[in-house]
Amino acid sequence: MEIDEIVKLYPEDFVPFLKKIYQGCIHFLGSDWKNLVEQVFLQVPFVFNRNVYDVLVERNMLEINSIVGSEELKRASGVYSSFPVLKYDGKNYSIQEIKRIIVVSNFSVDSVNSISSFIHELGHALKAFQNEYQIEGNMLVRRSGFIEEKFLLTVQDGEVKREFISEKNMRLEEGLNCIFEEKMMKQFIEPNFKSNAYGGVSFVANILCDRFSLFDVFMEAELTKDDQSLRKFLGEEHYFSLKELCDKIYQLDLKRYQVAFNSEQLFQTTKKRDQLVLQDFLELYNKIKKDRNKEDEYARNSRS
């Protein structure tokens, strides 16, 4: 289905904007990903100017044991959400369908901030779409970019329930998705746009992408769920150290918002966060750079 058919589902004043973002995504990601972009625009409804929580409840896409609390969803400016409809036949679990949606609670095609929220959530949808859910025995595994979530599946009163077990790599993924958001915004909407979300992890992701020209490598790994090239480039030990460091930085950034009105706690928390970013990350960055220089020198000597 062509974009002209897809955008007919939306209000007329949104059509030029959606066409621009559709074409921008294909240009930004490359023609190899045109089918993915088309499938996301076709299969993921966009809902504007509605409360996130209300929409998810209305569409039966919200569970009581959801990772994100109901109060957070009620306050959310935007979200990409997916919900697998599961079945158990007495022996095996299976996925019958996957409901997906992007909701932006306050949206205007004239508002840079609301457009950036939409593009951020669109980034999550693009990175999640391929092989988002897999069933491994009685475990449901969800992958979105680098994020991996695991749920235990059980049957209660004939209905399949999922219980959250674990999550990893969310902080690194959010930092990288902010780069996607910022690059898309600068290229197609506002040349001077700067993302202010996920400050510490965004800074770390930006440095890695800029200094090592890694954005395309990160993006490929996020879209395909295959991080082998990235592991090889960074080195296994550095790769896992990076993910652990992003988790710590994110937690301190989160705490900074929580203690925003307590000047002493805010100062101490910011100091710890800055130490992780400016000392621990700098140390890790220098280790990666040193190892890359060795690899490059070895490659040059091998060719000579």
Side-chain angles (χ1 to χ4, degrees):
M1 184 181 290
E2 294 296 325
I3 185 61
D4 287 338
E5 293 298 314
I6 297 171
V7 296
K8 286 181 180 178
L9 303 170
Y10 299 96
E12 189 174 334
D13 55 337
F14 285 8
V15 169
F17 164 75
L18 290 173
K19 282 186 176 181
K20 184 176 185 178
I21 298 303
Y22 172 84
Q23 292 157 357
C25 282
I26 295 172
H27 178 79
F28 185 79
L29 296 176
S31 58
D32 289 347
W33 295 103
K34 180 180 179 180
N35 184 61
L36 171 65
V37 175
E38 185 173 289
Q39 290 303 308
V40 168
F41 271 71
L42 179 62
Q43 297 186 37
V44 182
F46 308 145
V47 176
F48 301 107
N49 298 315
R50 292 281 311 280
N51 180 272
V52 171
Y53 178 83
D54 291 343
V55 173
L56 296 183
V57 170
E58 183 181 284
R59 300 196 179 212
N60 294 317
M61 293 179 64
L62 189 69
E63 284 189 332
I64 295 173
N65 63 358
S66 180
I67 305 169
V68 180
S70 59
E71 291 304 315
E72 291 177 80
L73 287 173
K74 289 175 182 178
R75 296 192 301 268
S77 59
V79 72
Y80 162 70
S81 185
S82 63
F83 186 90
V85 178
L86 304 166
K87 181 180 178 181
Y88 183 67
D89 63 7
K91 292 184 178 180
N92 300 302
Y93 293 96
S94 61
I95 300 171
Q96 300 300 292
E97 69 169 310
I98 301 173
K99 299 179 181 180
R100 296 180 166 101
I101 198 165
I102 289 175
V103 186
V104 181
S105 58
N106 292 293
F107 183 81
S108 167
V109 294
D110 299 318
S111 167
V112 169
N113 287 336
S114 64
I115 291 173
S116 69
S117 292
F118 172 71
I119 289 178
H120 186 91
E121 302 309 328
L122 180 60
H124 283 310
L126 289 164
K127 297 170 187 180
F129 196 83
Q130 289 194 160
N131 303 316
E132 184 173 5
Y133 288 96
Q134 291 182 329
I135 291 177
E136 300 174 359
N138 64 343
M139 298 290 293
L140 176 70
V141 181
R142 176 183 180 266
R143 293 183 174 88
S144 175
F146 287 106
I147 299 171
E148 180 181 282
E149 298 168 340
K150 291 188 176 181
F151 302 83
L152 176 66
L153 299 178
T154 57
V155 179
Q156 300 175 23
D157 300 323
E159 187 177 350
V160 179
K161 298 290 186 180
R162 51 182 180 145
E163 178 186 351
F164 174 69
I165 300 296
S166 65
E167 165 271 307
K168 61 182 181 180
N169 307 333
M170 184 176 290
R171 288 79 190 179
L172 173 60
E173 177 60 35
E174 287 294 357
L176 291 167
N177 204 45
C178 286
I179 299 178
F180 170 83
E181 170 194 344
E182 187 170 298
K183 286 181 177 291
M184 282 284 293
M185 288 293 294
K186 284 183 174 179
Q187 193 164 345
F188 302 107
I189 304 297
E190 171 51 61
N192 297 316
F193 179 81
K194 177 71 176 174
S195 174
N196 295 316
Y198 301 97
V201 288
S202 293
F203 175 83
V204 166
N206 262 306
I207 292 294
L208 289 172
C209 288
D210 289 345
R211 302 292 173 83
F212 295 123
S213 301
L214 274 179
F215 179 75
D216 290 341
V217 179
F218 273 119
M219 199 72 200
E220 181 81 11
E222 291 172 283
L223 292 169
T224 63
K225 318 290 196 302
D226 182 354
D227 60 0
Q228 292 304 309
S229 295
L230 188 61
R231 287 170 184 259
K232 183 177 179 181
F233 185 94
L234 296 176
E236 288 283 340
E237 183 179 346
H238 299 332
Y239 178 57
F240 286 103
S241 295
L242 172 65
K243 292 192 288 188
E244 290 179 359
L245 185 59
C246 284
D247 285 347
K248 294 177 182 177
I249 292 171
Y250 174 85
Q251 291 301 329
L252 288 173
D253 264 335
L254 190 62
K255 187 176 179 181
R256 289 177 69 241
Y257 289 110
Q258 294 170 344
V259 301
F261 298 105
N262 185 315
S263 58
E264 179 58 28
Q265 287 189 40
L266 178 60
F267 173 79
Q268 293 299 331
T269 304
T270 302
K271 184 178 179 181
K272 290 178 183 177
R273 194 281 308 268
D274 290 349
Q275 181 177 337
L276 286 177
V277 173
L278 301 176
Q279 295 183 26
D280 294 42
F281 172 65
L282 181 59
E283 181 180 341
L284 176 60
Y285 167 81
N286 286 329
K287 287 179 180 178
I288 296 171
K289 184 178 179 181
K290 182 179 179 181
D291 288 350
R292 290 307 310 165
N293 288 339
K294 287 181 181 178
E295 288 282 338
D296 293 343
E297 183 178 357
Y298 177 79
R300 286 194 298 270
N301 292 336
S302 298
R303 290 194 297 268
S304 61

